């Protein structure tokens, strides 16, 4: 049966790669593009690419490969703009991670197009659904410009396998010289765990841990679960943990399958970054802690007793 397109258009999707392969966020946004415009998706990759970067597995029929590295927002937006013109793209998609959120609006301005950030599901007609008010409500945004740039909230759509032949073509464009290098532009983590924005399981801790010397119990649970560690803002501000682990309104927004909050009160600013997680588990000594209202599972207890027991139980499993 012929696959159906939701829109009659040409779709370009910008893909981040790591060691030559599309990142998880890249495969997710490519899956989204494929569901919008079945079988007619062009991906743009800058830097290292091995084969088709596994993009054929999610229905990308053509990959434009810019072999030089472009790590500056301004270079990446010029590159995407040039690629969008070359395939006459009417929709340009980015993952709404740190890089995508920085580059997408620049492309929208350069192309004088509509821009919708933080889209969470496939469009209805020309309307895109996005979360507003820290995920408490959704808005349907109609785009009436000819060209539209959108970014997809990471972990909102998932990876949808749809094997196809993917043709790789080299692509060149004049993007000028690099002006700024942003550390952490490529999604990496220092301890070899999955980078926080891409993690499916996250163990996060707050001031209830009392001090940085106690983080061993958090790391043990994270390692037993294959999870990434995160923290509340004061923990980052006090230097107990590195700033890139801080989640919330002013930190990283995440949407993992499992979020375990240990000794975190659940202030609105913290919840803003984590309340879209699929399953939330809260461990807190205070039964009145606001986090319990957002929890799927709650344990009223002391993290110093509870965490080692959970870790032991998971190891036994
Ligand atoms: P606390 O509020 O001190 O809570 C500690 C919790 O641990 C308490 O609930 C306590 O009952 C529990 N506890 C204590 N001992 C134990 C134990 N032994 N076992 C189990 N539980 C225990 N915060 C963020 O996290 N992210 C943000 O992005 C963010 N942005 C902000 C932006 C603005 C503009 C402002 C004003 C604030 C922001 N904050 C943010 C701060 C936020 O308001 C809270 O102050 C912060 O989240 C509290 O961190 P916490 O839960 O770790 O600490």
């Amino acid at each position: 049966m012929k696959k159906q397109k939701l829109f009659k258009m040409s779709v370009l999707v910008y893909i981040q790669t790591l060691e030559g392969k599309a990142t998880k966020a890249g495969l997710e946004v490519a899956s989204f593009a494929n569901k919008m415009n079945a079988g007619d998706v062009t991906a743009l990759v800058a830097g290292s690419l091995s084969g088709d970067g596994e993009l054929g597995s999610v229905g990308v029929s053509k990959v434009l490969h810019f072999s030089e590295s472009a790590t500056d927002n301004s270079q990446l937006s010029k590159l995407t703009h040039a690629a969008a013109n070359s395939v006459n793209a009417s929709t340009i998609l980015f993952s709404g991670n740190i890089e995508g959120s920085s580059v997408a609006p620049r492309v929208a301005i350069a192309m004088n197009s509509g821009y919708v950030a933080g889209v969470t599901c496939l469009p209805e007609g020309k309307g895109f659904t996005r979360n507003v008010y820290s995920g408490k409500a959704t808005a349907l945004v109609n785009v009436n410009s000819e060209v539209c740039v959108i970014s997809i909230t990471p972990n909102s759509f998932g990876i949808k396998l749809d094997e196809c032949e993917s043709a790789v073509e080299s692509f060149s464009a004049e993007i000028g010289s690099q002006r700024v290098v942003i550390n952490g532009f490529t999604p990496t983590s220092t301890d070899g765990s999955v980078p926080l924005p891409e993690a499916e399981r996250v163990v996060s801790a707050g001031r209830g841990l009392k001090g940085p010397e106690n983080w061993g119990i958090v790391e043990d649970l994270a390692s037993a679960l294959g999870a990434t560690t995160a923290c509340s803002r004061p923990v980052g501000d006090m230097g107990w943990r590195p700033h890139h682990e801080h989640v919330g309104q002013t930190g990283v927004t995440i949407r993992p399958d499992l979020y375990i909050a240990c000794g975190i009160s659940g202030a609105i600013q913290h919840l803003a970054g984590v309340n879209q997680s699929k399953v939330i588990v809260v461990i807190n000594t205070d039964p009145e802690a606001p986090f319990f209202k957002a929890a799927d599972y709650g344990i009223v207890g002391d993290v110093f007793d509870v965490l080692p027991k959970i870790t032991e139980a998971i190891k036994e499993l």
Side-chain angles (χ1 to χ4, degrees):
M1 200 174 74
K2 204 167 180 310
K3 293 173 191 167
Q4 259 202 323
K5 292 183 182 191
L6 282 178
F7 277 12
K8 280 199 168 66
M9 60 183 173
S10 160
V11 169
L12 177 77
V13 54
Y14 171 75
I15 303 289
Q16 255 182 312
T17 57
L18 193 60
E19 293 165 0
K21 290 182 186 157
T23 59
K24 185 183 155 213
L27 291 174
E28 179 178 41
V29 70
S31 302
F32 190 101
N34 184 39
K35 293 291 174 200
M36 276 177 79
N37 208 40
D40 191 8
V41 174
T42 303
L44 170 66
V45 172
S48 77
L49 180 69
S50 153
D52 67 359
E54 301 188 348
L55 287 161
S57 69
V58 289
V60 171
S61 49
K62 184 157 104 179
V63 180
L64 299 179
H65 180 213
F66 181 79
S67 56
E68 293 157 46
S69 64
T71 50
D72 168 300
N73 285 344
S74 145
Q75 287 185 315
L76 281 174
S77 58
K78 282 184 189 153
L79 181 65
T80 315
H81 187 178
N85 284 342
S86 85
V87 295
N88 209 10
S90 52
T91 305
I92 301 138
L93 292 160
F94 289 85
S95 173
N97 56 16
I98 295 172
E99 183 179 77
S101 303
S102 315
V103 179
R106 289 166 185 260
V107 175
I109 289 167
M111 299 189 73
N112 196 22
S113 69
Y115 171 50
V116 190
V119 169
T120 52
C121 54
L122 288 168
E124 295 166 28
K126 281 211 143 192
F128 292 92
T129 302
R130 65 183 297 259
N131 285 329
V132 290
Y133 301 121
S134 303
K136 286 196 162 52
T138 54
L140 187 66
V141 183
N142 281 304
V143 180
N144 53 20
S145 57
E146 228 170 86
V147 177
C148 169
V149 176
I150 66 173
S151 66
I152 313 296
T153 298
N155 282 340
S156 60
F157 190 69
I159 296 169
K160 316 273 191 259
L161 296 178
D162 185 11
E163 201 70 48
C164 79
E165 280 288 315
S166 190
V168 179
E169 288 176 15
S170 70
F171 180 73
S172 61
E174 186 45 62
I175 59 167
S177 55
Q178 190 170 299
R179 282 182 290 179
V180 183
V181 177
I182 298 175
N183 286 330
F185 217 67
T186 321
T188 51
S189 63
T190 44
D191 59 1
S193 59
V194 181
L196 197 46
E198 304 214 338
E200 283 166 10
R201 289 178 288 264
V202 173
V203 180
S204 185
R207 258 197 302 224
L209 264 287
K210 319 282 190 230
E213 66 282 5
N214 296 324
W215 241 259
I217 51 172
V218 178
E219 287 166 340
D220 287 348
L221 177 57
S223 123
L225 282 168
T228 300
T229 50
C231 67
S232 66
R233 176 173 158 169
V235 163
D237 287 348
M238 289 183 295
W240 291 3
R241 295 298 288 176
H243 261 298
H244 65 77
E245 285 197 1
H246 149 206
V247 287
Q249 184 188 316
T250 47
V252 185
T253 299
I254 55 172
R255 204 183 170 120
D257 291 339
L258 174 66
Y259 183 74
I260 304 185
C262 315
I264 302 176
S265 56
I268 184 78
Q269 297 89 353
H270 184 88
L271 291 176
V274 304
N275 62 3
Q276 297 295 310
S277 307
K278 293 199 178 102
V279 175
I280 297 179
V281 179
V282 171
I283 305 162
N284 200 306
T285 42
D286 176 7
E288 301 297 325
F291 221 145
F292 283 121
K293 291 203 178 101
D296 296 285
Y297 299 92
I299 301 173
V300 178
D302 187 323
V303 284
F304 297 100
D305 295 335
V306 176
L307 286 193
K309 285 183 186 147
I310 300 182
T311 306
E312 233 12 80
I314 285 164
K315 281 185 184 162
E316 274 172 30
L317 272 176

